[in-house]
Amino acid sequence: MAAPMREPTFWILTALTAAPLHGYGIIQQAGQLSDGRVRLQAGTLYAALDRLVAEGLVEPDREETVDGRNRRYYRLTDDGAGALDAEAARLRASADAATAQLRTRRTFGLGTAQLLPN
């Protein structure tokens, strides 16, 4: 069983599922997909991308020059999609376990907190 994926890694891989993106595009997509909960910093992103390339989960797609600056695009590999799928299943199982426990709690009358009278 693989170790749980770090949250930035999860969102980087998730951002790359639909299409190759450059660094700033990954930052924007991860923020959008996480409803703003994740704000990747450039240093975190590029360190993670280097690691993910070395692990074979992401690979460079192409480079282009825009306004004199190089942009490198990255894409998700099949191994990266498999790792993301496994992590999504792990998270789903964890959420299902928590939901079942909360359902049991409500069944025994331990549901939402009672409001105190004014």
Side-chain angles (χ1 to χ4, degrees):
M1 184 166 127
M5 196 175 278
R6 288 177 262 179
E7 189 172 30
T9 299
F10 176 83
W11 289 109
I12 291 167
L13 297 180
T14 300
L16 291 171
T17 57
L21 295 170
H22 55 79
Y24 185 66
I26 295 170
I27 290 170
Q28 288 181 310
Q29 185 73 349
Q32 181 181 6
L33 290 169
S34 69
D35 290 328
R37 291 184 310 276
V38 172
R39 293 189 180 132
L40 295 171
Q41 300 299 315
T44 301
L45 173 68
Y46 289 107
L49 284 170
D50 286 344
R51 180 178 50 79
L52 294 170
V53 167
E55 292 173 359
L57 303 179
V58 167
E59 62 189 8
D61 182 69
R62 68 185 184 279
E63 288 188 24
E64 67 182 14
T65 303
V66 177
D67 296 329
R69 299 184 66 178
N70 287 334
R71 283 186 180 169
R72 176 176 286 164
Y73 286 74
Y74 295 87
R75 72 171 161 243
L76 189 65
T77 64
D78 289 342
D79 286 345
L84 181 59
D85 188 46
E87 180 65 4
R90 187 192 71 77
L91 291 171
R92 212 171 9 262
S94 295
D96 289 348
T99 300
Q101 288 299 101
L102 288 167
R103 200 174 297 120
T104 299
R105 176 182 168 83
R106 284 189 290 276
T107 299
F108 290 106
L110 302 172
T112 58
Q114 300 296 318
L115 294 176
L116 297 175
N118 289 340

PDB file of all heavy atoms in Angstrom, residues 17-33:
ATOM      1  N   THR A  17      -4.863  16.442 -15.310  1.00  0.00           N
ATOM      2  CA  THR A  17      -5.623  15.324 -15.876  1.00  0.00           C
ATOM      3  C   THR A  17      -6.236  15.649 -17.236  1.00  0.00           C
ATOM      4  O   THR A  17      -6.304  14.777 -18.094  1.00  0.00           O
ATOM      5  CB  THR A  17      -6.742  14.845 -14.929  1.00  0.00           C
ATOM      6  OG1 THR A  17      -7.589  15.936 -14.627  1.00  0.00           O
ATOM      7  CG2 THR A  17      -6.166  14.241 -13.668  1.00  0.00           C
ATOM      8  N   ALA A  18      -6.682  16.867 -17.446  1.00  0.00           N
ATOM      9  CA  ALA A  18      -7.415  17.197 -18.672  1.00  0.00           C
ATOM     10  C   ALA A  18      -6.504  17.585 -19.838  1.00  0.00           C
ATOM     11  O   ALA A  18      -6.816  17.289 -20.987  1.00  0.00           O
ATOM     12  CB  ALA A  18      -8.413  18.316 -18.405  1.00  0.00           C
ATOM     13  N   ALA A  19      -5.385  18.245 -19.529  1.00  0.00           N
ATOM     14  CA  ALA A  19      -4.524  18.752 -20.605  1.00  0.00           C
ATOM     15  C   ALA A  19      -3.180  19.171 -20.029  1.00  0.00           C
ATOM     16  O   ALA A  19      -3.087  19.484 -18.842  1.00  0.00           O
ATOM     17  CB  ALA A  19      -5.185  19.959 -21.286  1.00  0.00           C
ATOM     18  N   PRO A  20      -2.133  19.194 -20.855  1.00  0.00           N
ATOM     19  CA  PRO A  20      -0.843  19.715 -20.398  1.00  0.00           C
ATOM     20  C   PRO A  20      -0.970  21.190 -20.005  1.00  0.00           C
ATOM     21  O   PRO A  20      -1.732  21.941 -20.631  1.00  0.00           O
ATOM     22  CB  PRO A  20       0.068  19.566 -21.615  1.00  0.00           C
ATOM     23  CG  PRO A  20      -0.577  18.513 -22.451  1.00  0.00           C
ATOM     24  CD  PRO A  20      -2.060  18.685 -22.223  1.00  0.00           C
ATOM     25  N   LEU A  21      -0.247  21.585 -18.981  1.00  0.00           N
ATOM     26  CA  LEU A  21      -0.260  22.967 -18.506  1.00  0.00           C
ATOM     27  C   LEU A  21       1.152  23.408 -18.158  1.00  0.00           C
ATOM     28  O   LEU A  21       1.990  22.596 -17.790  1.00  0.00           O
ATOM     29  CB  LEU A  21      -1.120  23.101 -17.248  1.00  0.00           C
ATOM     30  CG  LEU A  21      -2.613  22.833 -17.366  1.00  0.00           C
ATOM     31  CD1 LEU A  21      -3.255  22.768 -15.977  1.00  0.00           C
ATOM     32  CD2 LEU A  21      -3.276  23.919 -18.211  1.00  0.00           C
ATOM     33  N   HIS A  22       1.397  24.721 -18.222  1.00  0.00           N
ATOM     34  CA  HIS A  22       2.655  25.281 -17.742  1.00  0.00           C
ATOM     35  C   HIS A  22       2.477  25.606 -16.258  1.00  0.00           C
ATOM     36  O   HIS A  22       1.378  25.486 -15.709  1.00  0.00           O
ATOM     37  CB  HIS A  22       3.061  26.512 -18.558  1.00  0.00           C
ATOM     38  CG  HIS A  22       2.022  27.582 -18.609  1.00  0.00           C
ATOM     39  ND1 HIS A  22       1.810  28.461 -17.572  1.00  0.00           N
ATOM     40  CD2 HIS A  22       1.119  27.902 -19.571  1.00  0.00           C
ATOM     41  CE1 HIS A  22       0.836  29.293 -17.900  1.00  0.00           C
ATOM     42  NE2 HIS A  22       0.390  28.961 -19.110  1.00  0.00           N
ATOM     43  N   GLY A  23       3.556  25.995 -15.616  1.00  0.00           N
ATOM     44  CA  GLY A  23       3.541  26.204 -14.168  1.00  0.00           C
ATOM     45  C   GLY A  23       2.417  27.088 -13.664  1.00  0.00           C
ATOM     46  O   GLY A  23       1.670  26.709 -12.752  1.00  0.00           O
ATOM     47  N   TYR A  24       2.292  28.281 -14.235  1.00  0.00           N
ATOM     48  CA  TYR A  24       1.244  29.192 -13.769  1.00  0.00           C
ATOM     49  C   TYR A  24      -0.138  28.605 -14.026  1.00  0.00           C
ATOM     50  O   TYR A  24      -1.051  28.750 -13.211  1.00  0.00           O
ATOM     51  CB  TYR A  24       1.393  30.563 -14.442  1.00  0.00           C
ATOM     52  CG  TYR A  24       0.417  31.579 -13.914  1.00  0.00           C
ATOM     53  CD1 TYR A  24       0.478  32.030 -12.601  1.00  0.00           C
ATOM     54  CD2 TYR A  24      -0.585  32.095 -14.732  1.00  0.00           C
ATOM     55  CE1 TYR A  24      -0.425  32.962 -12.107  1.00  0.00           C
ATOM     56  CE2 TYR A  24      -1.490  33.029 -14.262  1.00  0.00           C
ATOM     57  CZ  TYR A  24      -1.403  33.457 -12.953  1.00  0.00           C
ATOM     58  OH  TYR A  24      -2.306  34.377 -12.467  1.00  0.00           O
ATOM     59  N   GLY A  25      -0.302  27.894 -15.134  1.00  0.00           N
ATOM     60  CA  GLY A  25      -1.580  27.238 -15.424  1.00  0.00           C
ATOM     61  C   GLY A  25      -1.913  26.176 -14.385  1.00  0.00           C
ATOM     62  O   GLY A  25      -3.071  26.013 -13.993  1.00  0.00           O
ATOM     63  N   ILE A  26      -0.892  25.436 -13.929  1.00  0.00           N
ATOM     64  CA  ILE A  26      -1.105  24.430 -12.879  1.00  0.00           C
ATOM     65  C   ILE A  26      -1.545  25.112 -11.593  1.00  0.00           C
ATOM     66  O   ILE A  26      -2.480  24.659 -10.919  1.00  0.00           O
ATOM     67  CB  ILE A  26       0.174  23.592 -12.654  1.00  0.00           C
ATOM     68  CG1 ILE A  26       0.503  22.761 -13.902  1.00  0.00           C
ATOM     69  CG2 ILE A  26       0.019  22.693 -11.426  1.00  0.00           C
ATOM     70  CD1 ILE A  26       1.877  22.102 -13.865  1.00  0.00           C
ATOM     71  N   ILE A  27      -0.882  26.204 -11.236  1.00  0.00           N
ATOM     72  CA  ILE A  27      -1.238  26.953 -10.021  1.00  0.00           C
ATOM     73  C   ILE A  27      -2.697  27.411 -10.095  1.00  0.00           C
ATOM     74  O   ILE A  27      -3.464  27.242  -9.142  1.00  0.00           O
ATOM     75  CB  ILE A  27      -0.281  28.150  -9.822  1.00  0.00           C
ATOM     76  CG1 ILE A  27       1.112  27.641  -9.427  1.00  0.00           C
ATOM     77  CG2 ILE A  27      -0.835  29.124  -8.783  1.00  0.00           C
ATOM     78  CD1 ILE A  27       2.191  28.706  -9.432  1.00  0.00           C
ATOM     79  N   GLN A  28      -3.085  27.982 -11.224  1.00  0.00           N
ATOM     80  CA  GLN A  28      -4.457  28.461 -11.392  1.00  0.00           C
ATOM     81  C   GLN A  28      -5.467  27.312 -11.345  1.00  0.00           C
ATOM     82  O   GLN A  28      -6.504  27.407 -10.678  1.00  0.00           O
ATOM     83  CB  GLN A  28      -4.607  29.205 -12.719  1.00  0.00           C
ATOM     84  CG  GLN A  28      -3.936  30.549 -12.742  1.00  0.00           C
ATOM     85  CD  GLN A  28      -4.151  31.237 -14.076  1.00  0.00           C
ATOM     86  OE1 GLN A  28      -3.937  30.661 -15.132  1.00  0.00           O
ATOM     87  NE2 GLN A  28      -4.584  32.480 -14.007  1.00  0.00           N
ATOM     88  N   GLN A  29      -5.182  26.236 -12.057  1.00  0.00           N
ATOM     89  CA  GLN A  29      -6.113  25.108 -12.130  1.00  0.00           C
ATOM     90  C   GLN A  29      -6.265  24.441 -10.765  1.00  0.00           C
ATOM     91  O   GLN A  29      -7.378  24.085 -10.366  1.00  0.00           O
ATOM     92  CB  GLN A  29      -5.630  24.104 -13.189  1.00  0.00           C
ATOM     93  CG  GLN A  29      -6.567  22.956 -13.431  1.00  0.00           C
ATOM     94  CD  GLN A  29      -7.817  23.340 -14.199  1.00  0.00           C
ATOM     95  OE1 GLN A  29      -8.128  24.500 -14.414  1.00  0.00           O
ATOM     96  NE2 GLN A  29      -8.557  22.346 -14.593  1.00  0.00           N
ATOM     97  N   ALA A  30      -5.171  24.257 -10.050  1.00  0.00           N
ATOM     98  CA  ALA A  30      -5.243  23.649  -8.707  1.00  0.00           C
ATOM     99  C   ALA A  30      -6.081  24.519  -7.778  1.00  0.00           C
ATOM    100  O   ALA A  30      -6.902  24.005  -7.013  1.00  0.00           O
ATOM    101  CB  ALA A  30      -3.841  23.446  -8.138  1.00  0.00           C
ATOM    102  N   GLY A  31      -5.901  25.822  -7.858  1.00  0.00           N
ATOM    103  CA  GLY A  31      -6.707  26.729  -7.041  1.00  0.00           C
ATOM    104  C   GLY A  31      -8.180  26.654  -7.384  1.00  0.00           C
ATOM    105  O   GLY A  31      -9.039  26.603  -6.501  1.00  0.00           O
ATOM    106  N   GLN A  32      -8.478  26.606  -8.664  1.00  0.00           N
ATOM    107  CA  GLN A  32      -9.876  26.534  -9.112  1.00  0.00           C
ATOM    108  C   GLN A  32     -10.513  25.203  -8.706  1.00  0.00           C
ATOM    109  O   GLN A  32     -11.614  25.175  -8.176  1.00  0.00           O
ATOM    110  CB  GLN A  32      -9.941  26.717 -10.622  1.00  0.00           C
ATOM    111  CG  GLN A  32     -11.346  26.688 -11.174  1.00  0.00           C
ATOM    112  CD  GLN A  32     -11.355  26.853 -12.691  1.00  0.00           C
ATOM    113  OE1 GLN A  32     -10.325  26.879 -13.347  1.00  0.00           O
ATOM    114  NE2 GLN A  32     -12.540  26.956 -13.252  1.00  0.00           N
ATOM    115  N   LEU A  33      -9.815  24.102  -8.950  1.00  0.00           N
ATOM    116  CA  LEU A  33     -10.371  22.779  -8.646  1.00  0.00           C
ATOM    117  C   LEU A  33     -10.580  22.571  -7.151  1.00  0.00           C
ATOM    118  O   LEU A  33     -11.481  21.840  -6.747  1.00  0.00           O
ATOM    119  CB  LEU A  33      -9.466  21.680  -9.204  1.00  0.00           C
ATOM    120  CG  LEU A  33      -9.441  21.553 -10.723  1.00  0.00           C
ATOM    121  CD1 LEU A  33      -8.313  20.628 -11.156  1.00  0.00           C
ATOM    122  CD2 LEU A  33     -10.785  21.057 -11.244  1.00  0.00           C
TER     123      LEU A  33
END
